[in-house]
Amino acid sequence: MVVAIDGPAGVGKSSIAKLIAQTCNFYYLNSGSFYRAYTYLQLQAHLDPMDFPSVLRTAQSHELTVFDGRICIDGLEVEDKLHTAQVDSVVAQVSTYVPLRKYVNVQLRRIAENMDVIVEGRDITTVVFPDADLKCYFDAEPEVRAQRRFKQHPENQDYETVLRQIKERDAIDRNKAVGALQVARDALYVDTSYLTMEQVCEKVLSAIFALKGEVNR
């Protein structure tokens, strides 16, 4: 089974997807981590992250794997290094580069073969896995999302800056030439603004169990 979740930044996709993966014993994939990893590698090599062909060459020269939901580069786990302000400031632009998106999508499909997976990102339900067994779209008000992000990393910047970056990221994600953020026609839409993680999980798990029940009839 493939469970695909899309939505803008800060709606709780990662936290909820990880909980569902643990509950259902699914393999967890976060497409955004791939773009973050390539951005991180480019920055570590002191190369321009806005030189998108160079980022693709960097991506192709390293092996990304996922262990227990965490990204590894050439066998070394780097997940905690991918969520810095430096990476945050450019990863949205990096992820607009179509050849890089195609490269990442091929890897996601390869990893997901013959497994039960839950995958989250921006275009998972519409581009990467358009035939996913269950499609979900999480949403939330920008101010709520900014407050969540600010609470996660209060040492980095002020709330107004985080809100501005959230809105800028939304604009970039929704206007990509390929892989733009949009609600799939057959997606389960969940506004997470004023729901707990447990409440959102319950909605998704109910849909998963219903699908499994149909398969087992």
Side-chain angles (χ1 to χ4, degrees):
M1 176 180 281
V2 174
V3 176
I5 301 176
D6 281 333
V11 293
K13 296 189 304 294
S14 298
S15 300
I16 292 161
K18 288 174 183 176
L19 278 176
I20 293 169
Q22 293 170 357
T23 302
C24 299
N25 196 28
F26 279 18
Y27 195 82
Y28 167 69
L29 282 174
N30 180 344
S31 67
S33 292
F34 284 70
Y35 297 107
R36 286 180 174 276
Y38 296 140
T39 301
Y40 165 77
L41 283 168
Q42 190 79 351
L43 292 168
Q44 285 295 107
H46 303 291
L47 297 172
D48 183 5
M50 295 295 102
D51 182 352
F52 298 151
S54 174
V55 177
L56 180 58
R57 290 192 295 272
T58 296
Q60 292 169 334
S61 66
H62 294 273
E63 181 185 16
L64 256 62
T65 54
V66 181
F67 179 73
D68 198 22
R70 297 173 72 82
I71 286 284
C72 301
I73 299 175
D74 300 329
L76 297 176
E77 195 263 300
V78 295
E79 186 70 33
D80 292 337
K81 299 178 181 179
L82 307 183
H83 300 274
T84 64
Q86 189 179 21
V87 172
D88 285 349
S89 66
V90 292
V91 67
Q93 292 93 324
V94 170
S95 71
T96 63
Y97 186 51
V98 174
L100 181 65
R101 296 196 70 82
K102 292 181 177 178
Y103 182 72
V104 168
N105 292 348
V106 167
Q107 292 184 80
L108 292 171
R109 295 185 188 113
R110 173 182 54 80
I111 293 172
E113 283 181 347
N114 305 313
M115 289 193 298
D116 290 327
V117 297
I118 182 162
V119 195
E120 53 116 336
R122 298 293 192 279
D123 64 346
I124 303 301
T125 64
T126 55
V127 176
V128 188
F129 293 103
D131 298 320
D133 299 277
L134 175 62
K135 301 176 186 178
C136 303
Y137 187 96
F138 294 170
D139 207 352
E141 298 168 6
E143 291 77 11
V144 172
R145 293 187 278 132
Q147 190 63 42
R148 290 172 180 170
R149 283 292 171 90
F150 178 66
K151 287 181 178 178
Q152 287 175 340
H153 304 287
E155 71 284 353
N156 289 338
Q157 50 213 339
D158 60 85
Y159 166 79
E160 292 300 331
T161 299
V162 175
L163 178 59
R164 175 179 53 79
Q165 290 177 342
I166 285 276
K167 291 181 177 179
E168 289 174 352
R169 179 68 189 264
D170 286 352
I172 291 171
D173 287 338
R174 291 191 171 109
N175 291 287
K176 286 174 180 171
V178 174
L181 175 66
Q182 54 186 307
V183 185
R185 177 183 54 79
D186 50 348
L188 169 66
Y189 181 91
V190 182
D191 188 326
T192 72
S193 297
Y194 304 104
L195 297 178
T196 64
M197 283 204 307
E198 291 73 18
Q199 289 171 323
V200 178
C201 283
E202 184 177 340
K203 290 178 181 291
V204 178
L205 288 171
S206 294
I208 292 173
F209 295 151
L211 283 171
K212 284 185 174 291
E214 290 177 6
V215 170
N216 293 329
R217 281 178 187 171

